[in-house]
Amino acid sequence: MEIIDYLNKYDRFAASTGVQVVEMGDGFARAEMTVAEKHLNGAQVCQGGAIFTLADLAFAAAVNSGGVMTVGTTNNITFIRSAVEGDRLTAVARVEDHHKLPFCEIKVTNQRGELVCMVTGSAYRRRQPLIPEP
């Protein structure tokens, strides 16, 4: 099974929110979601946790792109503008690699290319494969 397929299938929470990894490379990932009514908060804009879930899945894909189990240790999110129902959001994650402690920057934009938020995160690389062997 490819890593992208593994993450889209087994990150059950992200899948349940409509978030999906659409592209991966070495230390790179792109994930997307369309803001639906279920993502809205009381202010009628996309709930921050939904946007973070999108960024977090891109982060997971980027830091795990080498196939070694890598888990997040810290994340920081800064919201720049709101997203509304119907917006198509894209998170692009790029890793500054380190053999044990990779650092990642994730930019979330809307369909007009406007920056919605910035996320930075670091992770810890374990000594096991991401995809369990049968």
Side-chain angles (χ1 to χ4, degrees):
M1 177 178 280
E2 297 292 322
I3 295 171
I4 191 169
D5 299 322
Y6 181 83
L7 291 172
N8 282 329
K9 180 176 182 178
Y10 290 107
D11 192 320
R12 295 165 190 88
F13 180 76
S16 75
T17 66
V19 174
Q20 186 173 34
V21 179
V22 295
E23 182 182 5
M24 283 181 68
D26 185 26
F28 165 83
R30 184 168 54 92
E32 295 180 348
M33 71 175 274
T34 299
V35 178
E37 182 181 12
K38 69 181 179 180
H39 298 118
L40 302 182
N41 62 20
Q44 301 307 306
V45 297
C46 188
Q47 205 268 350
I51 297 170
F52 180 75
T53 297
L54 170 65
D56 189 50
L57 186 63
F59 168 74
V63 298
N64 281 285
S65 63
V68 178
M69 173 73 71
T70 306
V71 294
T73 56
T74 62
N75 283 286
N76 183 52
I77 188 167
T78 302
F79 295 99
I80 310 297
R81 69 173 27 87
S82 297
V84 297
E85 188 173 0
D87 277 352
R88 184 73 177 165
L89 302 181
T90 301
V92 174
R94 297 186 191 284
V95 175
E96 291 296 327
D97 209 9
H98 178 276
H99 68 285
K100 282 243 187 241
L101 302 170
F103 178 81
C104 190
E105 180 180 84
I106 307 100
K107 292 182 180 181
V108 177
T109 57
N110 62 23
Q111 69 278 6
R112 292 177 297 282
E114 299 167 328
L115 188 62
V116 173
C117 75
M118 290 284 303
V119 180
T120 55
S122 55
Y124 175 76
R125 193 160 282 140
R126 295 182 174 181
R127 292 185 180 134
Q128 67 192 73
L130 172 65
I131 301 173
E133 296 182 21

